[in-house]
Amino acid sequence: MNNELYIYNSFTREREKFEPLHEGHIGLYVCGPTVYSDVHLGNCRTFVSFDIVYRYLTYLGYKVRYVRNITDVGHLEGDIDSDAEDKISKKARLEQLEPMEIVHKYTLGFRDIMHLLNALPPNIEPTATGHIIEQIEMVSKILENGFGYIKNGSVYFDTPKFVKEYGVYGKLSGKQIEELFTETREALKKQDEKNHPSDFAIWIKADERHLMRWPSPWSVGFPGWHLECSAMSTKYLGAQFDIHGGGMDLQFPHHENEIAQNYGACGSMPVRYWMHGNMLLLNGRKMSKTPDPITGKSNSILPLELFTGQNEIFSKAYSPMTMRFFMLQCHYRSTLDLTDAALLAAEKGYRRLMDAYKALQQLQAPANAEAAQLDQEINGLIDQAFEDMNDDFNTPKALSRLFELVATINGIKDGHLPADRVSAATLQRLKEVFQHFIFDIFGLLDEHDGGQDGQTVDGLMQLIINIRKEARERKDWGTSDQIRDALKDLEIQLKDSKEGTSWAKGS
RNA sequence: GGUCGGGUGGCCGAGUGGCUAGGCAGAGGUCUGCAAAACCUCGUACGGCGGUUCGAAUCCGCUCCCGACCUCCA
């Protein structure tokens, strides 16, 4: 079995063998949300994708420092020189709230959603406003190194200078430098403070209208959007670290500018492996908060709208774990289209996987069990599932192996497959691997597990099942079916098999 | 317009020169008091037109369609 991990590096556009900078340790930085409104499901997809990356790296035994920022300032709306305004402070004025109130509200909301989706919290969740000093220091360094210039209290990054010195601007997003520079010439008129249209602000002077501003050597103002990630990744992971993740839509300009800033301040490429998750689509189009200019509606759905069913898009409510399973069925670098039929399929598939997991835990190897062909098949599928994960975190492929194993598990359970052809060791391995994949790596939860109340419910259900069993033994089909139908109305399904009756939540 | 990525069976989605994932839905069967669940069997799909090759969904060319990015975006 090949244990080497390969990661598709967006910077080189190649699948590369992963080797950490420091053996056994990994620095992982993921661009987090801007907390000026509720996160939508598209945002969530990226964070779930990287949650699985984090979980798998941890599973492989690496000590991972996972940093995911909260952007609570500096995210501009529109052009700086037109009517630019910070997203946070704009929302604060609209809602008559303090900027920190907005930030706090949506940060808490974001964490709640991540918790519902069972995404592990990062090790560090730094905020931009908490790192103003670090950002000012970085601007100073960039100026010292000659990669920035001051105009009317604002500081801009000098991209032509950067291209001349390092020549990597545009490489990440695959843009030709010449085209990049000529493309936006039309916009030059609106941005007369910049020496060059591709230059970008790293410090922005603010007038009294702005609610969020800080003193700096250049003006009372606020940092540019791209700066926080450079400053905070450098602070917590070092000038160079292993993996930087984010949504594909951040590749340009955000990550391109991040690279420029790090070169400008530290003189080196900050990241060894760039990873970009693809977009979640709704009705075949990118999910986005930005309203459509024609219809005025935004093409997005909030997680809670999906989980509660309170939306006009889908036929019913879909649980967080259904959503998570749905995401697992698609590779993180492919677009994923959210549709009702697809979610319905995911819901059923998720239940089937969890039911098989429970059935597996009940299986016992017979005393005379010996390894045979079936044994090899099981071990082969397990090995392949790990190889799939090692191949750029191919969750859909790994999941397909698990489903092949589900058929094997059910076959043994129902006596269609010879249980004595699976050795005790392989059965034990299968149990452990299922546990690790489903809960530790894929991060799924058993939503039908009642938690604290679970034991009570299990006890009650066993009582009901026993009463029905006695009725069936008397051939009292009326009572038997009454119980079954009444439970069905409560969305509890009884499953009769040779070994007896089990139950599961869900109609 | 420029750049990049796609078009896979009824739906969602892997794969990427020969061994043709998986989930859901559908058909038939086994089991069952009847069902459900589970299991077994079944569908030979890769936008179109050419080309390379013994062989292409997979490589090349052309073409049609879709999406993303091009300084708001996860």
Side-chain angles (χ1 to χ4, degrees), chain A residues 75 87 197 225 247 249-250 286-287 414:
Chain A
H75 211 150
K87 270 193 175 174
W225 169 37
D249 50 357
L250 294 183
K286 180 187 171 184
M287 191 175 288
D414 283 10

PDB file of all heavy atoms in Angstrom, chain A residues 75 87 197 225 247 249-250 286-287 414, chain B residues 14 35-36 38-39 69 71-74:
ATOM      1  N   HIS A  75     -12.540  44.871   4.287  1.00  0.00           N
ATOM      2  CA  HIS A  75     -13.049  44.277   3.069  1.00  0.00           C
ATOM      3  C   HIS A  75     -13.879  45.316   2.336  1.00  0.00           C
ATOM      4  O   HIS A  75     -14.995  45.614   2.712  1.00  0.00           O
ATOM      5  CB  HIS A  75     -13.918  43.078   3.432  1.00  0.00           C
ATOM      6  CG  HIS A  75     -13.868  42.028   2.397  1.00  0.00           C
ATOM      7  ND1 HIS A  75     -14.017  40.720   2.663  1.00  0.00           N
ATOM      8  CD2 HIS A  75     -13.639  42.125   1.081  1.00  0.00           C
ATOM      9  CE1 HIS A  75     -13.904  40.033   1.542  1.00  0.00           C
ATOM     10  NE2 HIS A  75     -13.679  40.869   0.583  1.00  0.00           N
ATOM     11  N   LYS A  87     -17.050  46.853   4.329  1.00  0.00           N
ATOM     12  CA  LYS A  87     -18.282  46.056   4.385  1.00  0.00           C
ATOM     13  C   LYS A  87     -18.877  46.020   5.793  1.00  0.00           C
ATOM     14  O   LYS A  87     -20.080  46.046   5.970  1.00  0.00           O
ATOM     15  CB  LYS A  87     -17.998  44.631   3.921  1.00  0.00           C
ATOM     16  CG  LYS A  87     -18.188  44.459   2.442  1.00  0.00           C
ATOM     17  CD  LYS A  87     -18.227  43.019   2.037  1.00  0.00           C
ATOM     18  CE  LYS A  87     -18.537  42.924   0.548  1.00  0.00           C
ATOM     19  NZ  LYS A  87     -18.453  41.582   0.033  1.00  0.00           N
ATOM     20  N   PRO A 197      -2.617  50.441 -12.686  1.00  0.00           N
ATOM     21  CA  PRO A 197      -3.943  49.855 -12.406  1.00  0.00           C
ATOM     22  C   PRO A 197      -3.896  48.547 -11.624  1.00  0.00           C
ATOM     23  O   PRO A 197      -4.856  48.227 -10.912  1.00  0.00           O
ATOM     24  CB  PRO A 197      -4.547  49.629 -13.793  1.00  0.00           C
ATOM     25  CG  PRO A 197      -3.419  49.768 -14.752  1.00  0.00           C
ATOM     26  CD  PRO A 197      -2.422  50.672 -14.124  1.00  0.00           C
ATOM     27  N   TRP A 225      -7.651  44.587   2.418  1.00  0.00           N
ATOM     28  CA  TRP A 225      -8.209  43.266   2.674  1.00  0.00           C
ATOM     29  C   TRP A 225      -7.158  42.164   2.636  1.00  0.00           C
ATOM     30  O   TRP A 225      -7.147  41.254   3.469  1.00  0.00           O
ATOM     31  CB  TRP A 225      -9.310  42.978   1.653  1.00  0.00           C
ATOM     32  CG  TRP A 225      -9.787  41.563   1.628  1.00  0.00           C
ATOM     33  CD1 TRP A 225      -9.947  40.734   2.703  1.00  0.00           C
ATOM     34  CD2 TRP A 225     -10.157  40.807   0.485  1.00  0.00           C
ATOM     35  NE1 TRP A 225     -10.407  39.507   2.291  1.00  0.00           N
ATOM     36  CE2 TRP A 225     -10.545  39.518   0.924  1.00  0.00           C
ATOM     37  CE3 TRP A 225     -10.225  41.091  -0.882  1.00  0.00           C
ATOM     38  CZ2 TRP A 225     -10.973  38.527   0.044  1.00  0.00           C
ATOM     39  CZ3 TRP A 225     -10.659  40.105  -1.744  1.00  0.00           C
ATOM     40  CH2 TRP A 225     -11.029  38.833  -1.279  1.00  0.00           C
ATOM     41  N   GLY A 247     -11.267  29.254  -1.174  1.00  0.00           N
ATOM     42  CA  GLY A 247     -12.145  29.050  -2.322  1.00  0.00           C
ATOM     43  C   GLY A 247     -11.464  29.508  -3.600  1.00  0.00           C
ATOM     44  O   GLY A 247     -10.577  30.354  -3.587  1.00  0.00           O
ATOM     45  N   ASP A 249     -12.508  31.299  -5.877  1.00  0.00           N
ATOM     46  CA  ASP A 249     -12.749  32.702  -6.222  1.00  0.00           C
ATOM     47  C   ASP A 249     -11.798  33.646  -5.485  1.00  0.00           C
ATOM     48  O   ASP A 249     -11.797  34.845  -5.751  1.00  0.00           O
ATOM     49  CB  ASP A 249     -14.214  33.089  -5.970  1.00  0.00           C
ATOM     50  CG  ASP A 249     -14.698  32.692  -4.596  1.00  0.00           C
ATOM     51  OD1 ASP A 249     -13.923  32.056  -3.848  1.00  0.00           O
ATOM     52  OD2 ASP A 249     -15.834  33.025  -4.266  1.00  0.00           O
ATOM     53  N   LEU A 250     -10.996  33.113  -4.583  1.00  0.00           N
ATOM     54  CA  LEU A 250     -10.026  33.957  -3.893  1.00  0.00           C
ATOM     55  C   LEU A 250      -8.661  33.930  -4.577  1.00  0.00           C
ATOM     56  O   LEU A 250      -7.751  34.669  -4.211  1.00  0.00           O
ATOM     57  CB  LEU A 250      -9.847  33.500  -2.437  1.00  0.00           C
ATOM     58  CG  LEU A 250     -11.055  33.670  -1.529  1.00  0.00           C
ATOM     59  CD1 LEU A 250     -10.697  33.251  -0.112  1.00  0.00           C
ATOM     60  CD2 LEU A 250     -11.557  35.106  -1.531  1.00  0.00           C
ATOM     61  N   LYS A 286     -23.094  29.705  -9.780  1.00  0.00           N
ATOM     62  CA  LYS A 286     -22.353  29.875  -8.548  1.00  0.00           C
ATOM     63  C   LYS A 286     -23.224  30.443  -7.440  1.00  0.00           C
ATOM     64  O   LYS A 286     -23.952  31.421  -7.661  1.00  0.00           O
ATOM     65  CB  LYS A 286     -21.177  30.828  -8.807  1.00  0.00           C
ATOM     66  CG  LYS A 286     -20.314  31.082  -7.602  1.00  0.00           C
ATOM     67  CD  LYS A 286     -19.279  32.158  -7.909  1.00  0.00           C
ATOM     68  CE  LYS A 286     -18.559  32.562  -6.657  1.00  0.00           C
ATOM     69  NZ  LYS A 286     -17.621  33.656  -6.886  1.00  0.00           N
ATOM     70  N   MET A 287     -23.122  29.835  -6.260  1.00  0.00           N
ATOM     71  CA  MET A 287     -23.850  30.371  -5.130  1.00  0.00           C
ATOM     72  C   MET A 287     -23.163  31.646  -4.656  1.00  0.00           C
ATOM     73  O   MET A 287     -21.951  31.670  -4.490  1.00  0.00           O
ATOM     74  CB  MET A 287     -23.913  29.365  -3.988  1.00  0.00           C
ATOM     75  CG  MET A 287     -24.879  29.780  -2.922  1.00  0.00           C
ATOM     76  SD  MET A 287     -25.097  28.566  -1.631  1.00  0.00           S
ATOM     77  CE  MET A 287     -26.022  27.311  -2.460  1.00  0.00           C
ATOM     78  N   ASP A 414     -26.674 -10.905   6.438  1.00  0.00           N
ATOM     79  CA  ASP A 414     -27.846 -11.654   5.987  1.00  0.00           C
ATOM     80  C   ASP A 414     -27.534 -13.107   5.662  1.00  0.00           C
ATOM     81  O   ASP A 414     -28.428 -13.852   5.246  1.00  0.00           O
ATOM     82  CB  ASP A 414     -28.438 -10.989   4.737  1.00  0.00           C
ATOM     83  CG  ASP A 414     -29.231  -9.744   5.090  1.00  0.00           C
ATOM     84  OD1 ASP A 414     -29.141  -9.316   6.260  1.00  0.00           O
ATOM     85  OD2 ASP A 414     -29.928  -9.202   4.214  1.00  0.00           O
TER      86      ASP A 414
ATOM     87  P     A B  14     -17.036  14.901  -9.078  1.00  0.00           P
ATOM     88  OP1   A B  14     -16.656  16.060  -8.270  1.00  0.00           O
ATOM     89  OP2   A B  14     -17.273  15.089 -10.539  1.00  0.00           O
ATOM     90  O5'   A B  14     -15.933  13.780  -8.856  1.00  0.00           O
ATOM     91  C5'   A B  14     -15.622  12.888  -9.893  1.00  0.00           C
ATOM     92  C4'   A B  14     -15.175  11.595  -9.300  1.00  0.00           C
ATOM     93  O4'   A B  14     -16.243  10.638  -9.394  1.00  0.00           O
ATOM     94  C3'   A B  14     -14.009  10.980 -10.062  1.00  0.00           C
ATOM     95  O3'   A B  14     -12.778  11.427  -9.544  1.00  0.00           O
ATOM     96  C2'   A B  14     -14.227   9.488  -9.834  1.00  0.00           C
ATOM     97  O2'   A B  14     -13.755   9.089  -8.579  1.00  0.00           O
ATOM     98  C1'   A B  14     -15.747   9.404  -9.861  1.00  0.00           C
ATOM     99  N9    A B  14     -16.290   9.166 -11.204  1.00  0.00           N
ATOM    100  C8    A B  14     -17.060  10.018 -11.959  1.00  0.00           C
ATOM    101  N7    A B  14     -17.426   9.523 -13.118  1.00  0.00           N
ATOM    102  C5    A B  14     -16.853   8.256 -13.125  1.00  0.00           C
ATOM    103  C6    A B  14     -16.855   7.217 -14.066  1.00  0.00           C
ATOM    104  N6    A B  14     -17.492   7.290 -15.226  1.00  0.00           N
ATOM    105  N1    A B  14     -16.174   6.089 -13.761  1.00  0.00           N
ATOM    106  C2    A B  14     -15.535   6.021 -12.581  1.00  0.00           C
ATOM    107  N3    A B  14     -15.460   6.925 -11.615  1.00  0.00           N
ATOM    108  C4    A B  14     -16.147   8.029 -11.952  1.00  0.00           C
ATOM    109  P     A B  35     -46.120  -8.673  -0.120  1.00  0.00           P
ATOM    110  OP1   A B  35     -46.578  -8.313  -1.467  1.00  0.00           O
ATOM    111  OP2   A B  35     -44.989  -9.596   0.068  1.00  0.00           O
ATOM    112  O5'   A B  35     -45.876  -7.353   0.719  1.00  0.00           O
ATOM    113  C5'   A B  35     -44.866  -6.468   0.441  1.00  0.00           C
ATOM    114  C4'   A B  35     -45.002  -5.310   1.401  1.00  0.00           C
ATOM    115  O4'   A B  35     -45.350  -5.776   2.729  1.00  0.00           O
ATOM    116  C3'   A B  35     -43.725  -4.542   1.610  1.00  0.00           C
ATOM    117  O3'   A B  35     -43.517  -3.625   0.554  1.00  0.00           O
ATOM    118  C2'   A B  35     -44.003  -3.841   2.937  1.00  0.00           C
ATOM    119  O2'   A B  35     -44.890  -2.760   2.776  1.00  0.00           O
ATOM    120  C1'   A B  35     -44.719  -4.960   3.698  1.00  0.00           C
ATOM    121  N9    A B  35     -43.792  -5.797   4.471  1.00  0.00           N
ATOM    122  C8    A B  35     -43.407  -7.091   4.231  1.00  0.00           C
ATOM    123  N7    A B  35     -42.564  -7.571   5.116  1.00  0.00           N
ATOM    124  C5    A B  35     -42.367  -6.504   5.983  1.00  0.00           C
ATOM    125  C6    A B  35     -41.571  -6.359   7.134  1.00  0.00           C
ATOM    126  N6    A B  35     -40.811  -7.333   7.621  1.00  0.00           N
ATOM    127  N1    A B  35     -41.600  -5.180   7.765  1.00  0.00           N
ATOM    128  C2    A B  35     -42.375  -4.220   7.269  1.00  0.00           C
ATOM    129  N3    A B  35     -43.164  -4.221   6.199  1.00  0.00           N
ATOM    130  C4    A B  35     -43.118  -5.411   5.594  1.00  0.00           C
ATOM    131  P     A B  36     -42.078  -3.566  -0.110  1.00  0.00           P
ATOM    132  OP1   A B  36     -42.200  -2.693  -1.296  1.00  0.00           O
ATOM    133  OP2   A B  36     -41.528  -4.926  -0.249  1.00  0.00           O
ATOM    134  O5'   A B  36     -41.235  -2.801   0.994  1.00  0.00           O
ATOM    135  C5'   A B  36     -41.598  -1.480   1.386  1.00  0.00           C
ATOM    136  C4'   A B  36     -40.938  -1.153   2.698  1.00  0.00           C
ATOM    137  O4'   A B  36     -41.397  -2.087   3.704  1.00  0.00           O
ATOM    138  C3'   A B  36     -39.421  -1.312   2.714  1.00  0.00           C
ATOM    139  O3'   A B  36     -38.760  -0.187   2.173  1.00  0.00           O
ATOM    140  C2'   A B  36     -39.160  -1.473   4.196  1.00  0.00           C
ATOM    141  O2'   A B  36     -39.259  -0.245   4.878  1.00  0.00           O
ATOM    142  C1'   A B  36     -40.341  -2.363   4.605  1.00  0.00           C
ATOM    143  N9    A B  36     -39.997  -3.792   4.505  1.00  0.00           N
ATOM    144  C8    A B  36     -40.374  -4.686   3.544  1.00  0.00           C
ATOM    145  N7    A B  36     -39.917  -5.897   3.734  1.00  0.00           N
ATOM    146  C5    A B  36     -39.179  -5.789   4.903  1.00  0.00           C
ATOM    147  C6    A B  36     -38.430  -6.719   5.645  1.00  0.00           C
ATOM    148  N6    A B  36     -38.299  -8.006   5.294  1.00  0.00           N
ATOM    149  N1    A B  36     -37.812  -6.285   6.752  1.00  0.00           N
ATOM    150  C2    A B  36     -37.934  -4.999   7.095  1.00  0.00           C
ATOM    151  N3    A B  36     -38.614  -4.020   6.490  1.00  0.00           N
ATOM    152  C4    A B  36     -39.220  -4.491   5.391  1.00  0.00           C
ATOM    153  P     A B  38     -31.859  -1.088   2.505  1.00  0.00           P
ATOM    154  OP1   A B  38     -30.758  -0.118   2.700  1.00  0.00           O
ATOM    155  OP2   A B  38     -32.662  -1.070   1.266  1.00  0.00           O
ATOM    156  O5'   A B  38     -31.305  -2.565   2.696  1.00  0.00           O
ATOM    157  C5'   A B  38     -30.412  -2.864   3.770  1.00  0.00           C
ATOM    158  C4'   A B  38     -30.129  -4.342   3.778  1.00  0.00           C
ATOM    159  O4'   A B  38     -31.357  -5.071   4.054  1.00  0.00           O
ATOM    160  C3'   A B  38     -29.652  -4.923   2.455  1.00  0.00           C
ATOM    161  O3'   A B  38     -28.274  -4.687   2.254  1.00  0.00           O
ATOM    162  C2'   A B  38     -29.988  -6.391   2.639  1.00  0.00           C
ATOM    163  O2'   A B  38     -29.084  -7.020   3.519  1.00  0.00           O
ATOM    164  C1'   A B  38     -31.352  -6.282   3.316  1.00  0.00           C
ATOM    165  N9    A B  38     -32.438  -6.223   2.329  1.00  0.00           N
ATOM    166  C8    A B  38     -33.105  -5.106   1.875  1.00  0.00           C
ATOM    167  N7    A B  38     -34.037  -5.372   0.999  1.00  0.00           N
ATOM    168  C5    A B  38     -33.973  -6.743   0.846  1.00  0.00           C
ATOM    169  C6    A B  38     -34.711  -7.649   0.050  1.00  0.00           C
ATOM    170  N6    A B  38     -35.690  -7.274  -0.777  1.00  0.00           N
ATOM    171  N1    A B  38     -34.408  -8.963   0.138  1.00  0.00           N
ATOM    172  C2    A B  38     -33.427  -9.344   0.955  1.00  0.00           C
ATOM    173  N3    A B  38     -32.664  -8.588   1.771  1.00  0.00           N
ATOM    174  C4    A B  38     -32.997  -7.291   1.659  1.00  0.00           C
ATOM    175  P     C B  39     -27.747  -4.464   0.811  1.00  0.00           P
ATOM    176  OP1   C B  39     -26.356  -3.995   0.926  1.00  0.00           O
ATOM    177  OP2   C B  39     -28.734  -3.678   0.031  1.00  0.00           O
ATOM    178  O5'   C B  39     -27.747  -5.941   0.228  1.00  0.00           O
ATOM    179  C5'   C B  39     -26.945  -6.960   0.821  1.00  0.00           C
ATOM    180  C4'   C B  39     -27.308  -8.290   0.222  1.00  0.00           C
ATOM    181  O4'   C B  39     -28.702  -8.589   0.530  1.00  0.00           O
ATOM    182  C3'   C B  39     -27.255  -8.353  -1.296  1.00  0.00           C
ATOM    183  O3'   C B  39     -25.934  -8.569  -1.759  1.00  0.00           O
ATOM    184  C2'   C B  39     -28.171  -9.529  -1.581  1.00  0.00           C
ATOM    185  O2'   C B  39     -27.551 -10.756  -1.289  1.00  0.00           O
ATOM    186  C1'   C B  39     -29.285  -9.276  -0.568  1.00  0.00           C
ATOM    187  N1    C B  39     -30.376  -8.435  -1.119  1.00  0.00           N
ATOM    188  C2    C B  39     -31.351  -9.042  -1.936  1.00  0.00           C
ATOM    189  O2    C B  39     -31.271 -10.239  -2.169  1.00  0.00           O
ATOM    190  N3    C B  39     -32.343  -8.275  -2.443  1.00  0.00           N
ATOM    191  C4    C B  39     -32.404  -6.965  -2.168  1.00  0.00           C
ATOM    192  N4    C B  39     -33.411  -6.267  -2.690  1.00  0.00           N
ATOM    193  C5    C B  39     -31.428  -6.332  -1.347  1.00  0.00           C
ATOM    194  C6    C B  39     -30.438  -7.092  -0.855  1.00  0.00           C
ATOM    195  P     C B  69     -16.825  34.144 -10.403  1.00  0.00           P
ATOM    196  OP1   C B  69     -17.020  34.474  -8.982  1.00  0.00           O
ATOM    197  OP2   C B  69     -17.724  34.697 -11.435  1.00  0.00           O
ATOM    198  O5'   C B  69     -15.338  34.509 -10.814  1.00  0.00           O
ATOM    199  C5'   C B  69     -14.249  34.189  -9.958  1.00  0.00           C
ATOM    200  C4'   C B  69     -12.962  34.508 -10.666  1.00  0.00           C
ATOM    201  O4'   C B  69     -12.871  33.723 -11.882  1.00  0.00           O
ATOM    202  C3'   C B  69     -12.843  35.938 -11.180  1.00  0.00           C
ATOM    203  O3'   C B  69     -12.460  36.843 -10.152  1.00  0.00           O
ATOM    204  C2'   C B  69     -11.770  35.777 -12.251  1.00  0.00           C
ATOM    205  O2'   C B  69     -10.487  35.628 -11.688  1.00  0.00           O
ATOM    206  C1'   C B  69     -12.199  34.462 -12.891  1.00  0.00           C
ATOM    207  N1    C B  69     -13.120  34.665 -14.033  1.00  0.00           N
ATOM    208  C2    C B  69     -12.565  34.989 -15.280  1.00  0.00           C
ATOM    209  O2    C B  69     -11.337  35.102 -15.372  1.00  0.00           O
ATOM    210  N3    C B  69     -13.380  35.175 -16.335  1.00  0.00           N
ATOM    211  C4    C B  69     -14.698  35.052 -16.198  1.00  0.00           C
ATOM    212  N4    C B  69     -15.456  35.245 -17.274  1.00  0.00           N
ATOM    213  C5    C B  69     -15.291  34.742 -14.945  1.00  0.00           C
ATOM    214  C6    C B  69     -14.478  34.553 -13.896  1.00  0.00           C
ATOM    215  P     U B  71     -11.821  43.051 -12.389  1.00  0.00           P
ATOM    216  OP1   U B  71     -12.860  42.849 -13.380  1.00  0.00           O
ATOM    217  OP2   U B  71     -11.221  44.392 -12.246  1.00  0.00           O
ATOM    218  O5'   U B  71     -12.384  42.521 -11.012  1.00  0.00           O
ATOM    219  C5'   U B  71     -12.770  43.398  -9.972  1.00  0.00           C
ATOM    220  C4'   U B  71     -11.775  43.265  -8.840  1.00  0.00           C
ATOM    221  O4'   U B  71     -10.439  43.173  -9.354  1.00  0.00           O
ATOM    222  C3'   U B  71     -11.781  44.489  -7.936  1.00  0.00           C
ATOM    223  O3'   U B  71     -12.510  44.116  -6.768  1.00  0.00           O
ATOM    224  C2'   U B  71     -10.350  44.723  -7.551  1.00  0.00           C
ATOM    225  O2'   U B  71     -10.087  44.324  -6.234  1.00  0.00           O
ATOM    226  C1'   U B  71      -9.547  43.810  -8.484  1.00  0.00           C
ATOM    227  N1    U B  71      -8.551  44.522  -9.274  1.00  0.00           N
ATOM    228  C2    U B  71      -7.425  44.980  -8.610  1.00  0.00           C
ATOM    229  O2    U B  71      -7.283  44.852  -7.402  1.00  0.00           O
ATOM    230  N3    U B  71      -6.514  45.593  -9.412  1.00  0.00           N
ATOM    231  C4    U B  71      -6.577  45.790 -10.764  1.00  0.00           C
ATOM    232  O4    U B  71      -5.677  46.346 -11.334  1.00  0.00           O
ATOM    233  C5    U B  71      -7.774  45.291 -11.370  1.00  0.00           C
ATOM    234  C6    U B  71      -8.689  44.697 -10.625  1.00  0.00           C
ATOM    235  P     C B  72     -13.958  44.642  -6.686  1.00  0.00           P
ATOM    236  OP1   C B  72     -14.874  44.336  -7.771  1.00  0.00           O
ATOM    237  OP2   C B  72     -13.806  46.034  -6.203  1.00  0.00           O
ATOM    238  O5'   C B  72     -14.300  43.647  -5.490  1.00  0.00           O
ATOM    239  C5'   C B  72     -14.215  44.071  -4.145  1.00  0.00           C
ATOM    240  C4'   C B  72     -15.269  43.340  -3.391  1.00  0.00           C
ATOM    241  O4'   C B  72     -16.520  43.441  -4.103  1.00  0.00           O
ATOM    242  C3'   C B  72     -15.063  41.836  -3.315  1.00  0.00           C
ATOM    243  O3'   C B  72     -14.146  41.490  -2.316  1.00  0.00           O
ATOM    244  C2'   C B  72     -16.466  41.372  -2.975  1.00  0.00           C
ATOM    245  O2'   C B  72     -16.741  41.601  -1.631  1.00  0.00           O
ATOM    246  C1'   C B  72     -17.314  42.311  -3.831  1.00  0.00           C
ATOM    247  N1    C B  72     -17.720  41.662  -5.094  1.00  0.00           N
ATOM    248  C2    C B  72     -18.872  40.857  -5.059  1.00  0.00           C
ATOM    249  O2    C B  72     -19.464  40.728  -3.976  1.00  0.00           O
ATOM    250  N3    C B  72     -19.274  40.251  -6.195  1.00  0.00           N
ATOM    251  C4    C B  72     -18.603  40.406  -7.313  1.00  0.00           C
ATOM    252  N4    C B  72     -19.051  39.790  -8.403  1.00  0.00           N
ATOM    253  C5    C B  72     -17.427  41.218  -7.378  1.00  0.00           C
ATOM    254  C6    C B  72     -17.028  41.818  -6.243  1.00  0.00           C
ATOM    255  P     C B  73     -13.251  40.157  -2.500  1.00  0.00           P
ATOM    256  OP1   C B  73     -12.346  40.181  -1.357  1.00  0.00           O
ATOM    257  OP2   C B  73     -12.691  40.129  -3.858  1.00  0.00           O
ATOM    258  O5'   C B  73     -14.259  38.936  -2.404  1.00  0.00           O
ATOM    259  C5'   C B  73     -14.706  38.425  -1.167  1.00  0.00           C
ATOM    260  C4'   C B  73     -15.950  37.608  -1.434  1.00  0.00           C
ATOM    261  O4'   C B  73     -16.481  37.996  -2.692  1.00  0.00           O
ATOM    262  C3'   C B  73     -15.729  36.107  -1.472  1.00  0.00           C
ATOM    263  O3'   C B  73     -16.584  35.473  -0.535  1.00  0.00           O
ATOM    264  C2'   C B  73     -16.125  35.674  -2.862  1.00  0.00           C
ATOM    265  O2'   C B  73     -16.955  34.551  -2.826  1.00  0.00           O
ATOM    266  C1'   C B  73     -16.950  36.847  -3.369  1.00  0.00           C
ATOM    267  N1    C B  73     -16.803  37.053  -4.812  1.00  0.00           N
ATOM    268  C2    C B  73     -17.831  36.552  -5.626  1.00  0.00           C
ATOM    269  O2    C B  73     -18.793  35.980  -5.090  1.00  0.00           O
ATOM    270  N3    C B  73     -17.733  36.719  -6.970  1.00  0.00           N
ATOM    271  C4    C B  73     -16.685  37.343  -7.490  1.00  0.00           C
ATOM    272  N4    C B  73     -16.644  37.477  -8.808  1.00  0.00           N
ATOM    273  C5    C B  73     -15.635  37.859  -6.675  1.00  0.00           C
ATOM    274  C6    C B  73     -15.726  37.697  -5.348  1.00  0.00           C
ATOM    275  P     A B  74     -16.237  35.440   1.009  1.00  0.00           P
ATOM    276  OP1   A B  74     -17.418  35.828   1.781  1.00  0.00           O
ATOM    277  OP2   A B  74     -14.957  36.114   1.239  1.00  0.00           O
ATOM    278  O5'   A B  74     -16.060  33.886   1.165  1.00  0.00           O
ATOM    279  C5'   A B  74     -15.144  33.389   2.107  1.00  0.00           C
ATOM    280  C4'   A B  74     -14.649  32.064   1.551  1.00  0.00           C
ATOM    281  O4'   A B  74     -15.785  31.221   1.315  1.00  0.00           O
ATOM    282  C3'   A B  74     -13.979  32.219   0.198  1.00  0.00           C
ATOM    283  O3'   A B  74     -12.602  32.463   0.345  1.00  0.00           O
ATOM    284  C2'   A B  74     -14.287  30.907  -0.506  1.00  0.00           C
ATOM    285  O2'   A B  74     -13.309  29.943  -0.239  1.00  0.00           O
ATOM    286  C1'   A B  74     -15.592  30.470   0.125  1.00  0.00           C
ATOM    287  N9    A B  74     -16.721  30.685  -0.784  1.00  0.00           N
ATOM    288  C8    A B  74     -17.355  31.858  -1.087  1.00  0.00           C
ATOM    289  N7    A B  74     -18.348  31.716  -1.941  1.00  0.00           N
ATOM    290  C5    A B  74     -18.371  30.348  -2.198  1.00  0.00           C
ATOM    291  C6    A B  74     -19.192  29.548  -3.024  1.00  0.00           C
ATOM    292  N6    A B  74     -20.186  30.038  -3.747  1.00  0.00           N
ATOM    293  N1    A B  74     -18.945  28.230  -3.049  1.00  0.00           N
ATOM    294  C2    A B  74     -17.949  27.744  -2.324  1.00  0.00           C
ATOM    295  N3    A B  74     -17.116  28.406  -1.515  1.00  0.00           N
ATOM    296  C4    A B  74     -17.379  29.716  -1.495  1.00  0.00           C
TER     297        A B  74
END
